[in-house]
Amino acid sequence: MKFRFPAALNIAALLLTSLQAVAQTPEAAAPAKAAGMSSQQIMFWVLISLLIFLLLVLLLSFVGIAVQMRPQLRKVYELPTVRHSWSGRVLGLLVGDATLVKGEVRDELLDHDYDGIHEFDNDLPPWWKYSFYATIIFAVTYVGYYHVAQAGQLQGAEYETEMRQAALLVSPDADDPNKLTTYQPLATPADLSEGKSLFASNCAACHGQNAEGKVGPNLTDEYWLHGGEVNHVYKTVKFGVTSKGMVAWKGKLSGKQILQVSSYILSLQGTKPAGAKEPQGEKETAGKPVVKL
């Protein structure tokens, strides 16, 4: 098996020249435009493919030369002045000796044993030590870059930046959790009655029949975890708070029904039901809907 590297280069050069000539002809340019690629893009990918081809040729040539010269390389490797040198260990990889990676195993027992268990005096394999050294270099570089020079963002700051960028991409419509609505509390008896029915069938299991609080917080006092104004309550009911077990009622209740429930909740302010749960959150006086009879 003989590889002629100059001949391979000549073939590659002729191939490149012919491809350039083909790419410049109108017949070749028409399919390129039809496919949406310019002639420069075609030439780029042709050159990349040619580079990969040349690298494969070089690799095959190197392997072929190493295989043909393996007996001569073995004789050079067996020389005492070569075998134990760094270049000799690299040469050993070509002739099948992986000492550079695996290390040398010495069957030498240490002069102590524990319950009949003997210990060999072997070093750690080079691949393990190289990996350990790489982790040390990485750790020093990481600390210097992020903590000393402060050239990069830590995970917390990076997360906040990504969240701010994501907020800019959210569509500003009614389904945007970052955009607060501008509703007014419903105050008619019909709306509050409907809100009461919806509350009893959907919310009472967690907040109690009188909103005194069970698993969820008490909704009749002046303390709120996520805001006590009607639009904050509306947002909490619609989108939920999954981290605290509050489910999102979006898709289960209509916008009108969510506003009716929110208005009914605000109408319960100051009712002081029996067995009310202790206050949670921050104090906030919410405007109660005024029922117009």
Side-chain angles (χ1 to χ4, degrees):
M1 181 177 179
K2 296 183 179 180
F3 291 88
R4 300 180 181 275
F5 183 64
L9 286 178
N10 292 332
I11 294 173
L14 291 174
L15 180 61
L16 176 60
T17 304
S18 61
L19 286 173
Q20 288 177 339
V22 171
Q24 292 174 355
T25 60
E27 293 79 10
K33 291 182 180 179
M37 293 181 62
S38 64
S39 59
Q40 290 83 0
Q41 291 176 321
I42 294 177
M43 287 304 304
F44 171 78
W45 289 113
V46 168
L47 291 175
I48 291 295
S49 302
L50 187 58
L51 179 60
I52 295 175
F53 173 75
L54 291 176
L55 291 176
L56 289 176
V57 171
L58 286 174
L59 179 62
L60 292 176
S61 301
F62 179 78
V63 172
I65 294 173
V67 170
Q68 290 184 352
M69 296 186 60
R70 192 168 185 177
Q72 292 82 359
L73 294 176
R74 169 66 68 176
K75 292 180 180 179
V76 175
Y77 176 68
E78 294 295 339
L79 296 175
T81 56
V82 175
R83 184 165 189 170
H84 299 289
S85 63
W86 177 261
S87 58
R89 292 181 180 181
V90 175
L91 181 62
L93 294 176
L94 300 177
V95 298
D97 189 352
T99 303
L100 180 64
V101 178
K102 295 182 178 180
E104 296 181 359
V105 178
R106 302 191 302 270
D107 293 334
E108 298 178 4
L109 289 174
L110 296 176
D111 57 354
H112 61 271
D113 65 86
Y114 298 95
D115 296 331
I117 300 175
H118 297 275
E119 181 180 359
F120 284 97
D121 185 16
N122 291 323
D123 294 333
L124 290 170
W127 66 264
W128 192 99
K129 291 189 287 187
Y130 299 151
S131 302
F132 181 67
Y133 299 151
T135 60
I136 295 176
I137 296 173
F138 174 81
V140 173
T141 305
Y142 182 90
V143 171
Y145 182 80
Y146 286 100
H147 294 276
V148 178
Q150 296 182 350
Q153 290 183 327
L154 295 177
Q155 291 181 346
E158 188 175 286
Y159 172 77
E160 293 177 358
T161 301
E162 290 178 355
M163 291 301 293
R164 287 194 297 268
Q165 293 174 347
L168 298 176
L169 301 176
V170 178
S171 58
D173 54 19
D175 290 332
D176 181 4
N178 298 305
K179 181 181 178 182
L180 203 62
T181 55
T182 56
Y183 296 129
Q184 294 295 324
L186 301 176
T188 63
D191 286 324
L192 294 179
S193 177
E194 181 64 21
K196 181 178 180 180
S197 299
L198 292 169
F199 183 90
S201 58
N202 297 296
C203 311
C206 292
H207 294 281
Q209 289 294 332
N210 299 312
E212 70 275 12
K214 288 185 177 180
V215 178
N218 176 12
L219 302 177
T220 65
D221 56 25
E222 296 179 338
Y223 292 84
W224 298 87
L225 292 170
H226 307 287
E229 196 268 336
V230 65
N231 292 288
H232 288 95
V233 178
Y234 181 94
K235 175 183 176 181
T236 304
V237 175
K238 182 176 183 179
F239 297 104
V241 186
T242 55
S243 61
K244 296 183 180 179
M246 171 68 182
V247 298
W249 292 98
K250 171 187 173 183
K252 303 174 185 177
L253 299 177
S254 66
K256 177 68 175 296
Q257 289 174 323
I258 295 176
L259 185 56
Q260 288 172 333
V261 172
S262 303
S263 301
Y264 171 72
I265 291 173
L266 294 182
S267 71
L268 299 177
Q269 293 294 288
T271 55
K272 299 180 180 179
K277 195 174 181 181
E278 66 277 1
Q280 294 175 269
E282 298 180 359
K283 187 174 182 179
E284 181 179 344
T285 303
K288 295 172 58 176
V290 178
V291 179
K292 298 181 180 179
L293 301 176

